[in-house]
Amino acid sequence: MTSGRPRLGPICWAQHWLWLLDSQPDRPAAAPLLLRIRIRVPAGLHLSAFREALGRLVANNEALRTLYRIGDDGLPQQIVQPSAEPAIIVADSAPEARDLDAYTPAIDITRGSAACAVVRIEGDVVTAAVLVVHAVVVDGYAMTLLRKEFEAILSGTPAVVERRWQPLDQALAESSQQWRQVNDRAMEHWKRGLAVGPHASLPFYWQSPPESVSLKTTLSSKILAGHGELAAAKYETTLPALLQTLLAVLLCGWTGHLTCAIDSIFTNRWPRRMSTSVGRYAGGGRVPFDLRGLPTFSLLARRSLASLVTSYRHGKYDVGEVTMMESREAARIGACFASAVLFEYHDYTKSAASRRVEEPRIHQTPLDYRVANLLVDVFPSDGDLSISLRAPTEVLPGPAARRFLDQLRGLLSVVAEEPDPSLSELLASVDVPAPWKGPGWVAIRDSWIKLEDVAHLLRDHPLVSAAAVFPIPSGRLHAHVATATAGLSIEELDGHMRAGVSHYPTTMLPHVYTIHASAPEASHDAAAWERQPRLAAGPAVRAARKEPEGAEETFLATTISGFNPELTVDMSASYAELGGAFLKVPAILTQVKRAGYTGIAFGDLVGTAPLTQVAAKLVRSRTAT
């Protein structure tokens, strides 16, 4: 049903992060955030009938008629249109273009319908079709609802679906006092979880090394599914919880640590009113795993199930507040705070069509986009089970990625067939190549730090001529730097490092600095550095300043203060200290661009760098408009 007047309101919490990614003013050219799903088309269906059915689908679902724009207050808002015209793209029939998924429609959620269809036709008859919807608008579960409804419309037997609960209704509800109270309880649960596990489960690079390639490695097997169902029943848990627990064991065995953290992606559709609502309600929760003191797998399985259930039930939170908590923790420990491992169980992808792969099979393909995390997707399908792993080659080269999935398969087989294996034996059985198993790495707080990466950030300072970093007792880092001027202070070095470590999970803020007048010939010898003349030495410090200095810093402080009046000059430009205004980051960057400045991007406003360091990157490129 549609009305003749637009409806306007905020966006849902689950949409925040994707909206931010999609709305960067200077977003680099990349594949749009799109979800696709294959549609079964009745034989002999004409293109005109298909177009009419697609229009009916859009008319039935507010989410597909919603625009997303920045309001006058700098916050995103959704505007439900009375009507919208979805596009239909006719695919090339050439053999090399047979794959409909290869087509990337240009969907602009600030102007028109969030949905379109890619079709192949013979004459005027549609022979194949894919429904494409922007990921800000819907999640994977909603795509299956749309497919079911669309196929019913195409077949002439549309089911009557009462969708009284729409995404805008959800967004308005999340603004209520009752939801805020629920959100506060969820935040307390999340905050407790931050104290467990490493700040980064895996040391991914924020920026891609030149030789990096992202690979997708998939393990498929009917036997795998059988072992999973057997083990889930044996340990009185669920298959998603079991697989995520095994992933935690594999990660701990791989890293050599007894704790890890995994971001679990789930769909928040517990209320009945949301079970048929088309929108984006999928969220994620940081689930910590602590294997210390647990002798057997059964104990870990029971504890993990309880932790997962708690996380799923407390999944009603504002992602902005979650990110602020993580940013506060990052500022406290002086490192990039990111789980770096994402797990999603796609229980809504079950289909009547099954490949029936008996023996385990692993296949691998390169991706045409950058993956900066370890992404694990599980797809059950009528007796088969597929586990897909996406990762960059600097962390998991091709053979290592195959080895990783084969080890996961082996762990599943052991827990399914043995009475109750010990955790120590399971951990000892893990053997996957890893870059941190070589020289130059140190483990701090169950996270791997690359000493040369920390030194590289130090050498980026214009007054630093040489630098080296060494581990010292109590899990700390000691940075030695050489400078040709006596004007370099520990305060300035510390501020410079805060600007860098927030973006690189392989780095960490040094705890102690020593500034020398010159560097030793043996730059990797800590004793040789200690013999060099000292200009300054002491722990990391962060000086507070009352007023901004210079035109760029004054401009940036004034701009951000317009969105957060509580900002002070010595605050960092992180989520944590934007006063909850992280959704206004695109508006802040837009004002920076309009003032004629370049040099800073989205990442500069989500780190832990002091404001003065961010302002130093500003470049006046043209006259303000």
Side-chain angles (χ1 to χ4, degrees):
M1 298 294 292
T2 62
S3 64
R5 299 178 61 184
R7 294 209 304 150
L8 184 146
I11 66 175
C12 299
W13 291 342
Q15 296 175 303
H16 285 176
W17 185 246
L18 284 171
W19 177 83
L20 279 168
L21 293 178
D22 189 65
S23 59
Q24 299 179 51
D26 296 313
R27 185 185 176 204
L33 305 171
L34 303 177
L35 294 179
R36 296 173 170 85
I37 198 164
R38 184 76 60 159
I39 302 298
R40 287 190 292 264
V41 180
L45 183 74
H46 288 269
L47 182 59
S48 58
F50 183 91
R51 188 182 304 276
E52 181 181 348
L54 180 59
R56 185 172 176 181
L57 180 73
V58 171
N60 289 350
N61 294 276
E62 282 192 3
L64 306 184
R65 295 183 277 110
T66 302
L67 304 180
Y68 295 83
R69 295 173 180 169
I70 298 178
D72 294 337
D73 58 356
L75 291 172
Q77 58 183 208
Q78 53 179 315
I79 307 168
V80 182
Q81 307 172 91
S83 62
E85 187 69 29
I88 294 179
I89 299 173
V90 178
D92 190 349
S93 59
E96 61 272 15
R98 287 289 178 181
D99 186 6
L100 295 182
D101 291 332
Y103 288 82
T104 303
I107 295 179
D108 186 352
I109 57 174
T110 67
R111 297 179 181 274
S113 175
C116 75
V118 181
V119 301
R120 182 169 292 112
I121 62 174
E122 293 182 3
D124 190 40
V125 174
V126 179
T127 59
V130 170
L131 179 66
V132 185
V133 184
H134 202 288
V136 171
V137 178
V138 296
D139 53 29
Y141 181 87
M143 287 295 285
T144 64
L145 297 178
L146 288 173
R147 176 177 62 185
K148 181 179 180 180
E149 181 181 355
F150 195 13
E151 290 177 349
I153 295 173
L154 290 170
S155 66
T157 58
V160 177
V161 180
E162 291 189 11
R163 292 204 174 103
R164 297 180 179 178
W165 193 253
Q166 302 289 351
L168 183 54
D169 300 321
Q170 177 69 15
L172 293 173
E174 289 171 351
S175 302
S176 68
Q177 184 62 31
Q178 181 181 359
W179 272 78
R180 283 293 168 186
Q181 292 173 353
V182 174
N183 181 63
D184 290 343
R185 292 195 295 271
M187 289 298 100
E188 286 302 315
H189 169 72
W190 184 281
K191 189 174 182 179
R192 289 193 297 270
L194 291 181
V196 180
H199 64 267
S201 293
L202 295 175
F204 282 86
Y205 293 84
W206 183 266
Q207 295 178 339
S208 173
E211 70 280 3
S212 173
V213 176
S214 294
L215 298 176
K216 179 180 180 180
T217 309
T218 303
L219 168 66
S220 304
S221 173
K222 181 181 178 182
I223 295 177
L224 193 70
H227 281 157
E229 293 173 359
L230 178 64
K234 174 181 175 182
Y235 296 103
E236 298 180 341
T237 185
T238 64
L239 183 56
L242 174 77
L243 292 174
Q244 191 163 351
T245 304
L246 285 173
L247 177 61
V249 173
L250 180 53
L251 288 172
C252 288
W254 188 30
T255 62
H257 303 141
L258 291 178
T259 67
C260 71
I262 300 174
D263 283 333
S264 181
I265 310 301
F266 50 85
T267 303
N268 292 321
R269 293 180 182 271
W270 304 107
R272 180 176 297 179
R273 67 190 180 204
M274 296 176 66
S275 63
T276 60
S277 181
V278 171
R280 169 158 288 279
Y281 307 120
R286 181 182 185 273
V287 181
F289 292 84
D290 190 347
L291 279 61
R292 293 171 294 188
L294 297 179
T296 62
F297 181 78
S298 61
L299 292 175
L300 177 63
R302 285 197 292 270
R303 180 180 292 184
S304 298
L305 177 62
S307 178
L308 284 166
V309 169
T310 302
S311 297
Y312 279 40
R313 292 184 65 185
H314 287 78
K316 304 177 181 67
Y317 50 74
D318 184 336
V319 68
E321 295 180 43
V322 166
T323 312
M324 286 166 59
M325 281 189 178
E326 289 182 339
S327 200
R328 289 190 184 100
E329 185 69 6
R332 186 184 69 82
I333 64 177
C336 176
F337 201 95
S339 297
V341 182
L342 284 78
F343 175 89
E344 183 169 6
Y345 186 89
H346 301 264
D347 58 340
Y348 47 79
T349 60
K350 293 182 180 179
S351 171
S354 175
R355 293 189 301 267
R356 295 293 179 188
V357 181
E358 297 293 337
E359 293 297 326
R361 183 186 67 183
I362 296 178
H363 63 274
Q364 196 169 70
T365 56
L367 299 172
D368 59 0
Y369 56 90
R370 161 75 173 159
V371 174
N373 297 285
L374 184 77
L375 310 177
V376 180
D377 296 277
V378 179
F379 301 90
S381 179
D382 297 326
D384 287 350
L385 191 66
S386 292
I387 303 176
S388 177
L389 170 69
R390 288 173 287 167
T393 52
E394 73 267 16
V395 173
L396 269 178
R402 291 177 177 271
R403 178 70 175 165
F404 187 94
L405 283 183
D406 189 59
Q407 293 259 287
L408 186 60
R409 178 201 59 77
L411 290 174
L412 178 56
S413 176
V414 170
V415 299
E417 295 175 352
E418 294 188 9
D420 189 9
S422 73
L423 274 179
S424 60
E425 292 178 355
L426 291 176
L427 292 170
S429 70
V430 176
D431 182 20
V432 179
W436 54 84
K437 294 182 179 180
W441 292 81
V442 60
I444 299 178
R445 297 183 74 257
D446 280 359
S447 297
W448 283 104
I449 305 300
K450 190 174 183 181
L451 298 176
E452 175 55 29
D453 285 355
V454 183
H456 179 79
L457 288 176
L458 285 164
R459 290 192 291 268
D460 278 345
H461 192 286
L463 298 182
V464 172
S465 57
V469 179
F470 304 96
I472 55 178
S474 303
R476 299 184 301 160
L477 297 179
H478 188 167
H480 289 270
V481 302
T483 179
T485 175
L488 180 62
S489 67
I490 292 177
E491 296 174 358
E492 184 177 348
L493 265 182
D494 186 60
H496 165 78
M497 290 301 291
R498 287 180 184 273
V501 298
S502 62
H503 298 309
Y504 297 92
T506 57
T507 64
M508 194 173 199
L509 199 67
H511 303 83
V512 179
Y513 294 91
T514 301
I515 302 175
H516 304 269
S518 60
E521 292 186 6
S523 60
H524 296 290
D525 185 346
W529 275 99
E530 292 290 351
R531 291 192 293 268
Q532 297 301 113
R534 297 185 179 188
L535 299 176
V541 293
R542 187 179 180 189
R545 291 187 294 113
K546 299 287 186 182
E547 299 294 336
E549 298 176 357
E552 284 74 23
E553 192 171 316
T554 300
F555 162 75
L556 190 59
T558 302
T559 300
I560 298 180
S561 296
F563 297 94
N564 174 26
E566 298 179 359
L567 178 79
T568 59
V569 175
D570 61 304
M571 282 185 174
S572 77
S574 68
Y575 282 142
E577 292 164 331
L578 279 175
F582 89 116
L583 286 179
K584 298 181 181 180
V585 169
I588 294 173
L589 290 176
T590 298
Q591 288 201 17
V592 170
K593 185 176 181 181
R594 286 175 179 172
Y597 284 105
T598 60
I600 66 170
F602 186 82
D604 294 303
L605 292 177
V606 300
T608 58
L611 186 65
T612 180
Q613 296 291 332
V614 179
K617 295 184 177 183
L618 286 174
V619 176
R620 194 63 178 266
S621 61
R622 58 179 175 78
T623 304
T625 58

